[in-house]
């Protein structure tokens, strides 16, 4: 009998499992197109109003202003049908010690009882859903640009910032069919740029160039990926973008309002993108309106807005928790199908109301 059938006293909590980063990696690696389809489906559910995605909550520290831990609660309907929350930390100072900046866990909750049924290592889930969102936007925006003939030709891609997110975005762009004619790299820390160049040399057939000048990187790229840890705008000259590139503004705070105002701007969710001093939020504060946002990626997918060919196109995804839930649910189901879920016995205890 299903645990939800019968009278209320028969309801039982779900089993609780812990899913390691190694398991997440095994469940997602080499499945970039499939993960991107899952992310697209989550965007569709969100656009149709079948999700709940509250504001993210930021835990900050007076003695460490660059560090933060963020809670992203969310609920997603449809076949995914799950509640949950990602708890992700960003400690940029880790990088100097050779430790990744971000770490995360994610909890999945049963929609009937509310009981948590899985805890997953989530830095890989977070990177994968970010990269899948970026790849989806790159493919769709390139294909839909007015008077554009560039959708089928090799891409000159430039990575501004060279951490884990940049590596995942490169993997997901390639995994979704983008062919690179040239790859450019720039990082404020030269050894990080060289490290990323070394990674690309093992995986990429196209020539790879490390640019000392950020301007050279931007001007030499059709597709620019911002994946930095910038806390405020540091790219301020709109003339860098007069060749009208497609910009994946994943780190959200790199571009000055002048660049935002001269671009065609697409977001994942308008309300979420206008918070936490993102470049879009700063632009809204400056001009007093949101007219500079053309629409959401959902709007683009449904033909409600069409990216032009004669302006820079900037995609600025704040990062929706529903995307994390969708990918996490996929991982949980894959491991369940192969019998590889690791249950924690007696995780729920003292379930009798009166002892």
């Amino acid at each position: 009998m299903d645990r939800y059938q019968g009278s209320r006293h028969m309801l039982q909590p779900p089993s609780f499992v812990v899913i390691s980063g190694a398991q997440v990696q095994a469940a997602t690696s080499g499945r970039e197109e499939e993960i991107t389809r899952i992310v697209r489906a989550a965007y569709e559910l969100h656009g149709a109003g079948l999700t709940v995605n509250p504001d993210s909550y930021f835990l900050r520290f007076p003695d460490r202003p660059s560090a933060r831990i963020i809670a992203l609660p969310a609920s997603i309907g449809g076949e995914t049908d799950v509640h949950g929350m990602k708890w992700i930390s960003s400690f940029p100072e880790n990088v100097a010690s050779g430790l990744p900046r971000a770490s995360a866990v994610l909890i999945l909750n049963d929609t009937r009882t509310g009981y948590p049924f899985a805890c997953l290592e989530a830095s890989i889930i977070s990177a994968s859903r970010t990269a899948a969102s970026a790849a989806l936007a790159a493919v769709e925006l390139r294909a839909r640009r007015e008077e554009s003939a560039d959708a089928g030709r090799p891409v000159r891609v430039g990575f501004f910032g060279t951490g884990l997110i940049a590596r995942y975005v490169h993997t997901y762009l390639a995994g979704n069919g983008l062919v690179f004619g040239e790859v450019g790299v720039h990082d404020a820390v030269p050894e990080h740029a060289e490290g990323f160049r070394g990674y690309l040399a093992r995986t990429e057939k196209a020539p790879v160039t490390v640019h000392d000048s950020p301007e050279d990187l931007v001007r030499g790229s059709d597709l620019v990926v911002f994946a930095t840890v910038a806390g405020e705008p540091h790219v301020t000259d709109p003339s860098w973008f007069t060749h009208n590139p497609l910009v994946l503004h994943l780190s959200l705070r790199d571009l000055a309002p002048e660049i935002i105002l001269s671009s065609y701007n697409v977001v994942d969710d308008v309300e979420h993108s206008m918070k936490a001093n993102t470049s879009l939020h700063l632009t809204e504060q400056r001009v007093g309106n949101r007219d500079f946002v053309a629409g959401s990626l959902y709007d683009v997918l449904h033909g409600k807005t069409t990216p032009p060919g004669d302006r820079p196109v900037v995609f600025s995804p704040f990062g929706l928790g529903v995307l994390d839930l969708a990918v996490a649910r996929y991982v949980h189901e894959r491991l369940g199908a192969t019998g590889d879920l690791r249950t924690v016995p007696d995780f729920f205890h003292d379930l009798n109301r009166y002892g």
Side-chain angles (χ1 to χ4, degrees):
M1 178 180 288
D2 185 274
R3 69 174 183 271
Y4 297 148
Q5 297 178 354
S7 61
R8 286 180 297 173
H9 74 274
M10 297 180 66
L11 203 63
Q12 297 294 320
S15 299
F16 186 81
V17 302
V18 174
I19 298 175
S20 71
Q23 289 179 296
V24 173
Q25 185 85 67
T28 56
S29 181
R31 298 182 175 89
E32 291 80 22
E33 283 189 288
E34 189 171 1
I35 299 297
T36 303
R37 286 195 296 270
I38 289 167
V39 165
R40 179 175 183 147
Y43 275 130
E44 295 283 0
L45 290 169
H46 185 67
L50 297 175
T51 66
V52 180
N53 204 107
D55 289 343
S56 301
Y57 298 91
F58 288 71
L59 176 62
R60 299 187 183 276
F61 311 97
D63 60 332
R64 301 185 71 175
S66 67
R68 62 187 185 271
I69 308 179
I70 311 170
L72 288 82
S75 175
I76 185 167
E79 294 183 0
T80 307
D81 190 34
V82 72
H83 312 316
M85 185 177 75
K86 181 174 71 173
W87 180 239
I88 182 166
S89 68
S90 174
F91 279 54
E93 294 172 0
N94 287 351
V95 175
S97 301
L99 194 65
R101 169 187 61 85
S103 59
V105 294
L106 188 149
I107 298 293
L108 293 177
N109 291 78
D110 182 81
T111 55
R112 174 67 184 272
T113 65
Y115 271 71
F117 64 86
C119 176
L120 301 89
E121 196 285 329
S123 66
I124 295 170
I125 288 172
S126 188
S128 297
R129 66 84 153 147
T130 299
S133 172
L136 175 64
V139 170
E140 294 294 337
L141 290 169
R142 290 184 80 234
R144 296 168 188 265
R145 290 187 82 165
E146 292 178 346
E147 302 175 358
S148 175
D150 66 356
R153 67 176 176 79
V155 184
R156 297 181 303 161
V157 62
F159 290 91
F160 201 134
T162 58
L164 181 139
I165 294 298
R167 173 160 57 88
Y168 271 75
V169 171
H170 172 263
T171 299
Y172 271 76
L173 290 173
N176 279 276
L178 270 72
V179 177
F180 307 119
E182 302 174 28
V183 181
V185 175
H186 173 77
D187 197 286
V189 182
E191 52 264 40
H192 294 170
E194 284 296 332
F196 191 54
R197 185 201 62 76
Y199 156 76
L200 291 170
R202 298 191 300 272
T203 60
E204 182 57 61
K205 296 180 180 179
V208 179
T209 302
V210 175
H211 293 273
D212 296 329
S213 163
E215 179 179 358
D216 290 345
L217 176 82
V218 173
R219 289 187 182 274
S221 303
D222 311 309
L223 174 63
V224 185
V225 180
F226 281 94
T228 74
V229 294
E232 59 186 21
H234 56 98
V235 177
T236 60
D237 189 347
S239 72
W240 293 10
F241 300 84
T242 53
H243 60 301
N244 303 321
L246 171 58
V247 179
L248 303 177
H249 188 207
L250 307 181
S251 36
L252 295 173
R253 297 171 179 85
D254 303 272
L255 304 180
E258 290 82 2
I259 295 170
I260 297 295
L261 290 170
S262 65
S263 301
Y264 173 94
N265 294 284
V266 178
V267 298
D268 50 2
D269 183 284
V270 175
E271 288 297 326
H272 285 271
S273 65
M274 300 293 174
K275 291 179 172 65
N277 289 327
T278 64
S279 294
L280 296 175
H281 188 201
L282 295 177
T283 304
E284 179 191 32
Q285 292 173 336
R286 175 176 296 188
V287 301
N289 61 62
R290 300 176 176 181
D291 296 344
F292 55 88
V293 176
S296 68
L297 184 56
Y298 177 84
D299 295 329
V300 173
L301 294 175
H302 286 264
K304 297 179 180 180
T305 183
T306 302
D310 60 355
R311 295 173 66 192
V313 175
V314 178
F315 177 56
S316 299
F318 193 82
L320 300 176
V322 294
L323 305 183
D324 296 285
L325 294 193
V327 175
R329 182 64 149 171
Y330 167 81
V331 170
H332 181 270
E333 290 179 351
R334 276 196 61 83
L335 294 174
T338 58
D340 291 324
L341 290 174
R342 300 170 182 170
T343 302
V344 180
D346 301 320
F347 184 83
F348 298 109
H349 186 62
D350 199 5
L351 298 174
N352 189 317
R353 184 174 184 180
Y354 299 108

